């Protein structure tokens, strides 16, 4: 049976994934091990973990699958330099030496680094195209026999947007758009301009959009991006600076949008709200047109999505709402980490087709593809550090945690294997009671140490989702936004007279902690087969309270990667005001714990996100 | 990279840029912009077909 280790590295959020004949054995991002957020370094620890999980050495693998083609990427870098000369010497001097030294032969670096793991001989390395890897990650693990595939991101080699058709175990190209014309770059330019970090602050910009009015949208359409009826588009590069240097926007952009960019951490103003709303509206418009073209050109009734822009769950929700396709499936690791998985899938197809289709499910197992810890391991850790705990049966622990949540406690929930992809989906999560109007600010200030303009995301029993949300299909990976069901709503926004970010504190539904100012929510539906442990907890909470929803946020503090190990979880538990920690079958209460001592201020070590 | 090599590279980079990249850039742009930096409002579509039959 063909086995492959997929690698994505050297740009943003490196990862490794091991696929054995179309079945995912393991997948993880390097940041979780190195504890450096979005770590772009070679994913040595993630690769080692994947091999350990599979119980194999490098010799036993058939292929290493690299997620992009370094040579084609180098060509793009060279053509960009030629195209921008003589104005681009700044980037030229900065970028060219590393491309000449090793980046154009990144696969050789991959081979050397794998060899350094000392886990046997490195098998042959195959390169796939960046968007081919995204497309494979979107379709091959999906629950569909055939589908249209749309990949939208910043850029890989040349491609920035691509349309494919998936049938059986193949992905076939249909059409593409090329660099520098990129929806990911357009969104990142506004992310940068609004004072957030490129490649991670996009999510914040999306969260900011409901506060604003899209008054700049006509200007964006008129000056920045020419959108054709079929969704294809071109940016007017006179307004962008990313070809020339390290920043996204320059003077012409500032002139268009009323002055210089907002400095990071400076107060947010009406302008940023409106910019966010505007670029979000244009993004949705492009995504809807792209989806319609995907439907027309492939004739398929289902759509698979990947690429960084597919993390824009508001746009995804719009595609569902407009009923362009019967159903939508989005790769949970839609960003470049998922490229490792897609490449591994391309290199290790099963000879007899995609076996998960027979079960009518996707192949992601609820994204629970990372390291898990046995109760023996957890107990050994707790005992060796003399940490007080109560051990319960899984069923008792679930009931107990549900009761504490109902009592207003904030619970660190560490169960099962770690999620693959950027979101915590109930394995490395902090949970709370969504009915509690205080929960939003409690969780933000006492645990995340941030002011937030974004509500938390709800998890809901899949079978009860319709009771709470206007959702037409399952959303197992928190990648769809939909409205709160009418009967859960309590008032209309603005009624209580709050302004700006304070509007988030108004109660506008029966589950205020997860309701955004426009009555929307980023939903994760939890089904019993994919997520038995979390499903039981939600069921227990529902039995005790009548409410089938919990607040879910990632188990970390601001700027830090999500916790991976019991040690990470305990550290985060003690540093924050989490009341209770459930580590597998072990329950720890804050009041029982020995005093937490640390040299220095840990908050200074964690960079701002 | 060694310091000596880095210094050599730093000296060479502007030379390469002026002798190779600037002329290549000017020359290509006589014919067309490789990056298509201005939208073509009269075009009906920007898609490039990548399928096997087209
Ligand atoms: Fe990508």
């Amino acid at each position: 049976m063909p086995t492959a280790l997929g690698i994505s590295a050297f740009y943003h959020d490196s990862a490794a994934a091991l696929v054995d004949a179309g079945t995912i054995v393991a997948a993880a991002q390097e940041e979780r091990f190195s504890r450096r957020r979005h770590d772009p370094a070679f994913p040595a620890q993630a690769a080692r973990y994947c091999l350990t999980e599979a119980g194999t050495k490098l010799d036993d693998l058939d292929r290493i699958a690299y997620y992009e083609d370094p040579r084609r990427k180098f060509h793009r870098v060279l053509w960009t330099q030629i195209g921008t000369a003589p104005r681009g010497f700044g980037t030229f001097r900065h970028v060219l030496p590393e491309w000449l030294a090793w980046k154009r032969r990144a696969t050789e670096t991959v081979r050397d680094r794998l060899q350094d793991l000392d886990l046997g001989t490195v098998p042959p390395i195959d390169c796939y195209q960046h968007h081919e890897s995204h497309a494979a990650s979107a379709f091959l693990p999906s629950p569909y026999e055939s589908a249209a595939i749309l990949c939208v991101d910043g850029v890989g080699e040349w491609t920035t947007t691509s349309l494919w058709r998936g049938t059986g175990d193949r992905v076939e190209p249909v059409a593409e758009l090329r660099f520098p014309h990129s929806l990911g770059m357009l969104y990142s330019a506004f992310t940068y301009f609004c004072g957030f970090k490129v490649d991670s602050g996009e999510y914040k910009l999306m969260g900011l959009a409901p506060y604003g009015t899209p008054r700049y949208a006509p200007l964006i359409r008129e000056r920045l991006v020419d959108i054709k009826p079929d969704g294809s588009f071109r940016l007017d590069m006179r307004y962008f600076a990313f070809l020339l240097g390290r920043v996204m926007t320059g003077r012409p952009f500032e002139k268009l949008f009323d002055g210089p960019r907002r400095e990071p951490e400076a107060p947010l103003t009406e302008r940023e709200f409106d910019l966010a709303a505007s670029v979000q509206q244009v993004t949705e418009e492009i995504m809807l047109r792209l989806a319609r073209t995907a439907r027309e050109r492939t004739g398929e009734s289902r759509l698979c999505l990947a690429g960084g822009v597919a993390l824009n769950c508001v746009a995804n929700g719009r595609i569902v709402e407009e009923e362009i396709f019967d159903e939508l499936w989005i790769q949970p690791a839609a960003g470049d980490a998922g490229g490792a998985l897609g490449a591994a899938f391309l290199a290790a197809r099963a000879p007899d087709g995609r076996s998960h289709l027979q079960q009518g499910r996707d192949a992601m197992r609820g994204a629970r593809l990372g390291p898990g810890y046995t109760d023996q391991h957890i107990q050994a850790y707790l005992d060796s550090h003399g940490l007080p705990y109560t051990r319960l049966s899984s069923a008792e622990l679930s009931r107990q945690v549900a009761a504490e949540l109902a009592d207003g406690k904030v619970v660190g929930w560490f169960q099962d294997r770690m999620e693959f992809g950027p979101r915590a989906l109930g394995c490395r999560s902090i949970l709370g009671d969504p009915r509690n109007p205080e929960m939003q600010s409690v969780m933000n200030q006492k645990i995340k140490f941030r002011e937030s303009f974004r509500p938390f995301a709800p998890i809901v029993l899949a079978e009860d989702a319709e009771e709470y949300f206007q959702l037409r299909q399952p959303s197992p990976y928190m990648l769809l936004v939909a409205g709160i069901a009418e009967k859960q709503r309590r008032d209309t926004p603005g009624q209580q007279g709050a302004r700006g970010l304070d509007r988030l504190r108004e109660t506008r539904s029966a589950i205020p902690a997860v309701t955004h100012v426009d009555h929307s929510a980023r939903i994760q539906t939890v089904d019993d087969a994919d997520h038995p442990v979390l499903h039981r907890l939600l069921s227990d909470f529902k039995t005790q309270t009548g409410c089938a929803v919990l607040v879910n946020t990632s188990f970390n503090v601001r700027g830090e990667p999500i916790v991976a190990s019991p040690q990470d979880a305990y550290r985060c538990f003690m540093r924050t005001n989490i009341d209770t920690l459930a580590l597998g079958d072990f329950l720890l209460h804050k009041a029982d714990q020995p005093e937490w001592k640390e040299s220095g201020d840990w908050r200074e070590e964690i960079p701002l996100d | 990279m060694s310091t000596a090599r880095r210094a050599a590279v730093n000296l060479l980079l502007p030379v390469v840029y002026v002798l190779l990249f600037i002329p290549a850039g000017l020359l290509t742009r006589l014919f067309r912009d490789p990056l298509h930096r201005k939208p073509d409002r009269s075009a009906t579509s920007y898609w490039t077909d990548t399928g096997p039959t087209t």
Side-chain angles (χ1 to χ4, degrees):
Chain A
M1 285 298 209
T3 323
L5 179 69
I7 300 281
S8 65
F10 310 131
Y11 178 62
H12 178 248
D13 212 9
S14 295
L18 202 143
V19 172
D20 179 358
T23 301
I24 311 169
V25 179
Q29 294 132 274
E30 185 68 4
E31 61 159 25
R32 307 291 168 87
F33 302 96
S34 69
R35 309 306 300 155
R36 261 191 73 200
R37 200 152 183 250
H38 304 307
D39 195 343
F42 177 78
Q45 297 181 77
R48 184 182 293 280
Y49 155 69
C50 288
L51 291 163
T52 312
E53 187 74 52
T56 57
K57 290 188 146 201
L58 287 165
D59 311 77
D60 307 321
L61 301 176
D62 295 287
R63 282 285 186 276
I64 302 297
Y66 191 60
Y67 83 127
E68 63 183 15
D69 182 344
R71 280 195 190 181
R72 284 203 69 203
K73 207 170 175 172
F74 183 48
H75 290 167
R76 190 249 299 162
V77 170
L78 286 180
W79 273 109
T80 304
Q81 292 307 330
I82 290 170
T84 54
R87 291 176 61 213
F89 186 67
T91 21
F92 179 84
R93 196 177 48 185
H94 197 87
V95 162
L96 212 73
E98 61 175 359
W99 274 100
L100 286 173
W102 65 277
K103 272 195 165 175
R104 73 196 154 103
R105 291 171 312 210
T107 42
E108 286 174 30
T109 310
V110 168
R111 172 179 303 284
D112 294 346
R113 291 289 123 80
L114 284 170
Q115 205 70 66
D116 293 345
L117 294 178
D118 211 14
L119 288 168
T121 320
V122 183
I125 302 180
D126 290 343
C127 285
Y128 296 90
Q129 303 290 315
H130 187 103
H131 270 241
E132 189 182 15
S133 298
H134 277 316
S137 79
F139 174 67
L140 295 178
S142 82
Y144 309 142
E145 184 69 53
S146 72
I149 310 166
L150 191 57
C151 304
V152 188
D153 68 357
V155 64
E157 296 90 3
W158 277 101
T159 314
T160 62
T161 306
S162 62
L163 176 55
W164 308 69
R165 180 160 182 251
T167 40
D169 66 353
R170 297 169 54 81
V171 289
E172 284 157 2
V174 175
E176 67 177 21
L177 303 176
R178 292 188 188 149
F179 186 80
H181 309 291
S182 156
L183 187 52
M185 294 287 188
L186 176 71
Y187 211 89
S188 292
F190 279 90
T191 303
Y192 168 84
F193 194 71
C194 290
F196 301 113
K197 265 195 187 162
V198 170
D199 286 336
S200 63
E202 283 77 5
Y203 219 58
K204 293 187 185 172
L205 198 67
M206 186 183 78
L208 204 59
Y211 292 98
T213 40
R215 65 182 162 109
Y216 294 109
L219 196 59
I220 296 175
R221 279 190 216 101
E222 190 187 311
R223 308 294 278 278
L224 294 189
V225 53
D226 178 31
I227 311 165
K228 301 301 183 194
D230 63 7
S232 64
F233 59 89
R234 236 175 227 181
L235 304 183
D236 189 330
M237 293 309 296
R238 287 171 294 191
Y239 293 99
F240 297 88
F242 60 83
L243 288 176
L244 291 173
R246 312 240 105 195
V247 299
M248 299 295 296
T249 60
R251 278 283 159 71
F253 202 95
E254 291 174 3
K255 263 197 195 139
L256 219 48
F257 298 109
D258 308 330
R261 71 184 279 241
R262 166 185 168 253
E263 287 301 319
E265 305 296 311
L268 286 158
T269 68
E270 222 44 65
R271 181 185 70 153
E272 284 82 48
F273 299 158
D274 295 346
L275 284 170
S278 305
V279 73
Q280 180 63 32
Q281 191 190 68
V282 171
T283 301
E284 288 168 22
E285 182 186 325
I286 294 175
M287 287 300 279
L288 288 173
R289 289 186 189 194
L290 289 172
R292 285 195 189 96
T293 299
R295 170 108 209 197
E296 275 162 31
R297 294 207 52 177
T298 63
E300 295 290 341
S301 59
R302 282 154 172 161
L303 177 67
C304 296
L305 281 179
V309 180
L311 294 171
N312 193 309
C313 38
V314 181
N316 299 345
R318 295 272 291 126
I319 296 175
V320 172
E321 204 177 271
E322 293 284 317
E323 304 190 24
I324 299 166
F325 284 89
D326 296 354
E327 217 180 336
L328 191 58
W329 191 86
I330 308 145
Q331 165 57 242
D336 283 353
L341 184 64
F345 260 106
L346 288 166
R349 289 178 245 230
D352 51 353
R354 292 150 68 216
S355 61
H356 64 272
L357 294 180
Q358 279 133 39
Q359 284 99 53
R361 325 192 55 81
D362 71 38
M364 296 298 294
R365 288 205 306 267
R368 296 171 294 126
L369 302 166
Y373 295 84
T374 61
D375 282 336
Q376 292 95 300
H377 183 111
I378 295 170
Q379 183 160 21
Y381 163 71
L382 295 173
D383 288 343
S384 69
H385 290 78
L387 304 174
Y389 59 80
T390 319
R391 182 171 188 170
L392 300 165
S393 74
S394 308
E396 282 167 346
L397 177 115
S398 182
R399 280 195 297 273
Q400 174 76 31
V401 167
E404 296 196 14
L405 286 165
D407 192 31
K409 298 283 193 294
V410 175
V411 177
W413 183 248
F414 182 102
Q415 304 288 332
D416 217 305
R417 292 177 66 176
M418 184 176 72
E419 303 89 343
F420 180 53
R423 307 275 94 85
L425 300 169
C427 301
R428 304 287 185 273
S429 285
I430 300 172
L431 306 176
D433 184 345
R435 301 167 304 163
N436 185 340
E438 301 303 312
M439 194 47 71
Q440 169 116 290
S441 32
V442 168
M443 285 176 87
N444 267 323
Q445 275 148 40
K446 291 190 168 175
I447 288 137
K448 295 283 182 164
F449 301 108
R450 66 179 177 197
E451 268 301 327
S452 184
F453 45 83
R454 217 170 57 190
F456 291 105
I459 49 177
V460 59
L461 286 172
E463 53 271 33
D464 292 329
E466 268 181 41
E467 278 287 303
Y468 296 90
F469 307 105
Q470 299 165 329
L471 192 63
R472 281 181 52 233
Q473 65 156 81
S475 174
Y477 305 114
M478 208 206 282
L479 285 168
L480 294 177
V481 163
I484 305 274
E486 285 299 339
K487 63 177 162 188
Q488 305 291 343
R489 298 192 183 189
R490 291 295 176 265
D491 63 11
T492 50
Q495 209 173 52
Q496 289 150 304
R499 299 202 53 186
L501 299 180
D502 290 334
R503 287 166 58 198
L504 195 58
R505 298 222 183 87
E506 299 171 323
T507 301
R508 46 178 62 74
S509 81
I511 40 176
V514 297
T515 307
H516 211 329
V517 296
D518 59 354
H519 284 109
S520 70
R522 293 177 283 151
I523 305 154
Q524 182 190 350
T525 52
V526 178
D527 102 12
D528 186 30
D530 272 342
H531 244 307
V533 181
L534 189 62
H535 190 272
R536 175 165 56 195
L537 178 67
L538 278 163
S539 303
D540 287 335
F541 187 72
K542 186 188 171 190
T543 309
Q544 294 176 24
T545 65
C547 175
V549 181
L550 284 171
V551 178
N552 167 29
T553 185
S554 53
F555 201 153
N556 62 342
V557 292
R558 181 185 176 181
E560 174 197 50
I562 297 172
V563 301
S565 67
Q567 290 88 318
D568 298 337
Y570 188 79
R571 191 192 318 120
C572 187
F573 169 55
M574 292 309 291
R575 281 174 169 180
T576 61
N577 295 302
I578 297 174
D579 301 298
T580 305
L581 173 63
L583 277 178
D585 286 346
F586 301 84
L587 204 60
L588 289 80
H589 289 104
K590 183 59 69 58
D592 307 336
Q593 301 306 310
E595 198 195 334
W596 178 253
K597 290 194 202 79
E598 241 176 311
S599 57
D601 185 0
W602 60 269
R603 274 188 241 185
E604 282 172 11
E605 290 160 29
I606 297 175
L608 293 176
D609 56 352
Chain B
M1 240 190 290
S2 71
T3 347
R5 206 169 146 206
R6 183 165 286 277
V9 167
N10 278 338
L11 274 177
L12 265 175
L13 280 173
V15 178
V16 172
Y17 195 72
V18 170
L19 290 184
L20 228 61
F21 281 75
I22 293 179
L26 295 176
L27 206 66
T28 17
R29 264 171 294 159
L30 278 182
F31 303 100
R32 68 179 191 117
D33 174 11
L35 300 168
H36 307 284
R37 271 169 291 193
K38 280 181 209 154
D40 176 2
R41 300 271 168 184
S42 64
T44 52
S45 175
Y46 295 124
W47 285 110
T48 305
D49 284 337
T50 45
T53 48
T54 43

